[in-house]
Amino acid sequence: MPGLIQRIWQGLVVVVIVATATFVLVRLAPGDPFAMALENARLTPELRAQWRAAYGLDGTIGTQYVRWLGALLHGDLGFSISTAQPVTRAIALALPHTLALMGIALVVAFALGMSLGALQAARHDRALDRGIGVTTLVGAALPDFWLALVLMLGGAYWFRIFPVGAASDPLLPLSASLGTILLDRLHHLVLPVLTLVILIAAPVARQQRNALLDRLGAEWVRTATAKGVAPRRVFRRHAWRTALGPIVTLGGLALPALVGGAVFVEHVFAWPGMGQLAATAIASRDYHLVTGCVMVGSVLVVTGSILADLVAGWLDPRVRAESAREQAA
């Protein structure tokens, strides 16, 4: 429990540092959220000053930061200029779409990657192992935006199987049943999820293969085999379970890439999630919305990292022992 509290505290510090750096950098970057409006010559200097004060953008960066930090302590992330609503509401509307996209992609990618890695280890140094190895190497090297565009071109333009973008069919009648609505959402999710699955499953398969081969050569596995334990049981109980620790850790490490990849994928497929919201905020120099999106992204990454460490420790007693030694030191 003390270790968990320490990790949560460290995570909070990381989120505050990331939010502070983002707050300063977006204000130092060129551009102005009121650039188009301020070009109107009929606006008086007094009215312009009122606008900036209303959005908390008057005064020095230090003054703005102290004011923003005070509002943050009350759960207020400011007002979004580009969406004309509080930042918390804009994020609350977009976050479920991102969580659905990332959650489904993460589950499918790890199931696929772990299956491929186990298949490679079971067929080590054979044609199947080499074929999957080359395929996963290509998958890991593909740029996310390029892959998204290729899948969109093939699935939505050439074969016209999947919709081009958005989260639902705008022509869907309001009286549609819940099943029809869910199927429509899943239909729109296929291409964005498939993009992320290919990007994530490839490194997971390579990690799973290497971890399993390492465990299969371990002394306790050879001992179990020498005692006459069935090969399938040795593989499943003595090798595969202990090889899950590195995979779970990889899941925590993959979250930053997943969050970053989701930004491009959501933008390409016009998926109304956090990535699309962040891209709109950056393009319009919406300071409060940019900072809020980065904060939520860092919270997701930190939370996922802590959960991955907890699960890895539960699966592998050596990780728990190492963590206990670090706390005692």
Side-chain angles (χ1 to χ4, degrees):
M1 185 59 74
L4 176 61
I5 295 174
Q6 185 180 8
R7 290 300 309 275
I8 294 174
W9 173 248
Q10 291 172 347
L12 287 174
V13 172
V14 169
V15 171
V16 171
I17 292 174
V18 170
T20 303
T22 306
F23 183 93
V24 174
L25 288 175
V26 295
R27 280 160 177 77
L28 293 178
D32 190 306
F34 300 109
M36 294 184 65
L38 293 180
E39 290 177 358
N40 189 342
R42 290 179 298 178
L43 287 178
T44 63
E46 291 77 13
L47 186 55
R48 297 177 183 184
Q50 288 178 9
W51 277 12
R52 291 190 177 282
Y55 287 98
L57 300 177
D58 57 328
T60 65
I61 292 180
T63 303
Q64 294 179 38
Y65 179 71
V66 172
R67 197 159 48 212
W68 174 79
L69 202 58
L72 180 64
L73 294 176
H74 293 85
D76 183 7
L77 293 175
F79 198 86
S80 167
I81 300 171
S82 60
T83 63
Q85 59 185 333
V87 170
T88 50
R89 176 170 173 72
I91 290 177
L93 292 175
L95 187 59
H97 293 287
T98 295
L99 292 179
L101 173 63
M102 290 175 53
I104 295 175
L106 206 59
V107 171
V108 176
F110 269 75
L112 178 63
M114 291 170 66
S115 300
L116 290 175
L119 198 59
Q120 283 185 273
R123 301 287 187 274
H124 176 52
D125 213 16
R126 297 181 185 176
L128 184 61
D129 177 26
R130 288 191 286 272
I132 296 176
V134 172
T135 305
T136 54
L137 181 62
V138 173
L142 292 176
D144 46 13
F145 62 89
W146 182 85
L147 181 60
L149 289 174
V150 168
L151 290 177
M152 174 183 282
L153 190 64
Y157 182 73
W158 288 341
F159 297 103
R160 299 180 184 277
I161 300 174
F162 301 105
V164 176
S168 61
D169 186 354
L171 300 179
L172 198 66
L174 295 176
S175 58
S177 64
L178 179 61
T180 304
I181 294 173
L182 288 177
L183 285 176
D184 177 61
R185 293 296 176 92
L186 290 175
H187 192 209
H188 283 76
L189 263 172
V190 170
L191 289 182
V193 166
L194 184 59
T195 306
L196 292 176
V197 164
I198 293 174
L199 296 172
I200 301 169
V204 170
R206 299 178 68 81
Q207 179 70 28
Q208 175 76 97
R209 173 188 178 275
N210 295 335
L212 273 173
L213 290 179
D214 179 62
R215 299 303 188 278
L216 288 172
E219 184 178 350
W220 73 83
V221 175
R222 292 200 302 270
T223 303
T225 304
K227 288 181 177 178
V229 180
R232 189 182 294 272
R233 186 180 176 87
V234 170
F235 188 87
R236 189 176 62 250
R237 295 202 60 179
H238 295 274
W240 187 73
R241 177 166 182 174
T242 57
L244 287 179
I247 297 299
V248 174
T249 303
L250 178 65
L253 296 176
L255 277 173
L258 180 60
V259 172
V263 173
F264 291 104
V265 172
E266 289 184 2
H267 192 59
V268 170
F269 290 104
W271 184 255
M274 291 291 299
Q276 179 79 345
L277 189 67
T280 303
I282 294 172
S284 57
R285 304 293 190 274
D286 194 339
Y287 295 159
H288 290 312
L289 189 54
V290 171
T291 308
C293 289
V294 173
M295 276 190 66
V296 172
S298 62
V299 168
L300 290 177
V301 171
V302 167
T303 304
S305 177
I306 293 174
L307 290 176
D309 287 348
L310 290 175
V311 176
W314 175 71
L315 290 171
D316 192 344
R318 293 174 300 176
V319 176
R320 290 199 301 270
E322 184 178 352
S323 178
R325 284 196 299 271
E326 290 177 354
Q327 293 171 23

